[in-house]
């Protein structure tokens, strides 16, 4: 996955961002003037400043899917990313 500048974030892209001290996955529904309309893995729609995006992946989800399917896909992506995070030994990285 590659980093995207805010201008390159397009509807359908999966993004990660901080919310309440947690990293959440969301689906970009719209990008207007550096503000993103995002559907989160918690089935919540929110407006997000593009500068808050930590990562925007190359993978896109179809906006033609039902809302429930979009949320299910986001939850699966979030679970995979969480399992990958748990495999990283942060203490060992800091000792490098």
């Amino acid at each position: 996955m590659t980093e995207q500048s805010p201008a390159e974030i397009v509807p359908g892209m999966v993004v990660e961002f901080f919310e309440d001290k947690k990293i959440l996955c969301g689906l970009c529904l719209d990008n207007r003037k550096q503000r993103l309309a995002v559907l989160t893995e918690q089935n919540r729609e929110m407006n997000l400043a593009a500068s808050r995006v930590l990562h925007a992946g190359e993978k896109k989800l179809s906006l033609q899917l039902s809302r429930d399917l979009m949320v299910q896909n986001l939850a699966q992506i979030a679970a995979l990313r969480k399992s990958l995070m748990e495999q990283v030994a942060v203490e060992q990285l800091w000792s490098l």
Side-chain angles (χ1 to χ4, degrees), residues 26-82:
L27 176 64
C28 177
L29 302 174
D30 196 14
N31 183 351
R32 291 190 183 169
K33 297 183 182 178
Q34 304 302 307
R35 301 285 304 170
L36 306 177
V38 175
L39 174 65
T40 71
E41 65 194 76
Q42 299 166 335
N43 198 16
R44 215 176 111 213
E45 279 190 46
M46 59 189 303
N47 287 313
L48 183 72
S51 61
R52 288 186 52 201
V53 172
L54 302 171
H55 177 80
E58 292 176 2
K59 180 177 179 155
K60 287 185 179 181
L61 295 178
S62 172
L63 298 179
Q64 302 304 314
L65 296 173
S66 71
R67 185 178 176 116
D68 287 339
L69 282 176
M70 285 189 259
V71 171
Q72 285 177 1
N73 284 327
L74 284 171
Q76 290 173 347
I77 292 167
L80 174 63
R81 291 181 179 181
K82 184 176 180 182

Side-chain angles (χ1 to χ4, degrees), residues 1-5 9 13-16 53-58:
M1 291 187 197
T2 59
E3 296 298 318
Q4 303 286 329
S5 71
I9 298 173
M13 280 187 155
V14 176
V15 296
E16 291 178 277
V53 172
L54 302 171
H55 177 80
E58 292 176 2

